[in-house]
Amino acid sequence: MAEWVVRPDGGRPEGRACAHAAAVGPAPAPLSRVCPECLVQGHEETRLRLCLTCGHIGCSDSAPGAHATAHYASSGHPLVRSMEPGGEPWAWCYVDEVFLRPRDGHSTE
């Protein structure tokens, strides 16, 4: 199980805390390998985010649909982590608007 902590460089200057990071358990299995909403729309998005509550896969805010953020808006699930291949492990808290990193600095997979 990965423990997440706020990155020193990642978030609101006035508050760099995230109560949600301590409450997250093991990462759920991804429900898909693609953003299902993008697939329906005919897009093949690679900047994917995994909901750390339920395993929903959604595309990033820089993608046309911003489906990870839409999932947060409809579900209230606060944390996502990057699923970009070969990328640095990081997560985002929508509620506290902070970037997170694994406490031990290693991959979360």
Side-chain angles (χ1 to χ4, degrees):
M1 174 168 97
E3 287 186 55
W4 294 95
V5 295
V6 176
R7 279 186 3 190
D9 64 342
R12 296 178 176 177
E14 71 277 4
R16 295 186 187 264
C18 176
H20 307 96
V24 70
L31 296 178
S32 64
R33 293 180 179 255
V34 298
C35 174
E37 292 89 350
C38 282
L39 187 62
V40 167
Q41 296 171 353
H43 302 290
E44 188 174 328
E45 185 53 51
T46 59
R47 294 162 291 185
L48 301 176
R49 310 293 180 251
L50 170 70
C51 173
L52 291 176
T53 301
C54 71
H56 177 269
I57 295 290
C59 59
S60 75
D61 284 356
S62 59
H67 294 119
T69 298
H71 174 72
Y72 160 68
S74 67
S75 69
H77 297 164
L79 300 175
V80 293
R81 78 168 171 92
S82 173
M83 294 291 290
E84 294 180 35
E88 176 184 326
W90 59 267
W92 173 255
C93 178
Y94 287 105
V95 176
D96 298 310
E97 297 181 353
V98 291
F99 281 102
L100 307 167
R101 65 169 176 79
R103 178 179 300 280
D104 64 7
H106 293 86
S107 176
T108 58
E109 295 189 42

